[in-house]
Amino acid sequence: SLLLPVNTYGMEYVAVSRFELAGGGPEVDFFQSCEEVCGDIPGGYCTTQNGVESCTVPYRGFISVVAVHKDTTVRITPTANTLGGNGLIPMNAKEEYAHLLQPYQVLNIKSDQNAGDLTGSIIMSDKPIGVWSGHDAAIADGNCCADHLEQQLFPTKTWGKKYVAAKSFPRADENDHWI
């Protein structure tokens, strides 16, 4: 992950993530039931295939916010429903929520909605903050291989209006994507 120095922190960000999807989970051994292994994982559920029990858990998008100043008020408007826990209430999509953070406290937000995507969530504060967003295990083409995504975000005040992009060398039969 890119790590930016504190003097670059800002007060407005837009999250980039991926949609939530069902994925793998912890193995269920011979001496446990699937409910014991998977029951305490929010959104986890048991499945049986070929007589073998397994636990399926959601791969979630996330946003992490860190404060560096005392009494920092962070306001977030998520684009998907979020998970609650550890004193954090679940948040509904498109509703604004305020959180008070002290120096070096971290607000961790995870999606809690099948196919919910936190991309486009607005994070604002009254003092400079650092923001990271990403995904537990994203799958780009739906076929194979989940990868953890995580990136510290640039505040919106640093965004430009003109961009230059370089073309990558061809890789197998992959297409370039320009947006």
Side-chain angles (χ1 to χ4, degrees):
S1 179
L2 174 69
L3 298 176
L4 300 171
V6 172
N7 67 328
T8 66
Y9 287 9
M11 297 187 295
E12 182 178 351
Y13 294 83
V14 178
V16 179
S17 187
R18 291 282 290 170
F19 60 90
E20 183 175 311
L21 65 137
E27 292 184 12
V28 179
D29 69 29
F30 185 75
F31 299 104
Q32 294 176 301
S33 73
C34 186
E35 287 77 19
E36 290 175 307
V37 174
C38 185
D40 290 333
I41 301 171
Y45 59 92
C46 298
T47 58
T48 303
Q49 186 173 6
N50 299 328
V52 177
E53 274 192 313
S54 64
C55 177
T56 300
V57 298
Y59 289 150
R60 301 176 189 277
F62 67 85
I63 300 168
S64 296
V65 179
V66 65
V68 291
H69 298 284
K70 186 177 179 180
D71 298 326
T72 301
T73 300
V74 175
R75 294 184 326 276
I76 180 163
T77 306
T79 53
N81 295 339
T82 69
L83 197 60
N86 295 328
L88 180 66
I89 63 167
M91 294 185 277
N92 296 318
K94 300 179 183 171
E95 293 182 19
E96 184 178 280
Y97 295 84
H99 303 277
L100 184 65
L101 298 178
Q102 298 304 322
Y104 312 109
Q105 280 188 317
V106 179
L107 173 63
N108 287 313
I109 299 163
K110 287 196 157 226
S111 64
D112 189 28
Q113 173 182 334
N114 186 30
D117 187 353
L118 292 173
T119 297
S121 295
I122 305 296
I123 305 99
M124 296 174 49
S125 63
D126 62 345
K127 297 174 185 154
I129 55 174
V131 178
W132 287 256
S133 66
H135 198 276
D136 290 340
I139 298 174
D141 64 5
N143 293 324
C144 171
C145 312
D147 289 317
H148 178 79
L149 303 175
E150 177 179 308
Q151 190 65 48
Q152 186 171 3
L153 302 177
F154 288 97
T156 58
K157 71 178 182 178
T158 66
W159 294 6
K161 302 238 187 277
K162 296 180 182 179
Y163 299 89
V164 175
K167 182 174 173 59
S168 298
F169 287 106
R171 289 179 10 165
D173 59 352
E174 293 179 0
N175 295 322
D176 292 327
H177 297 280
W178 299 89
I179 300 173

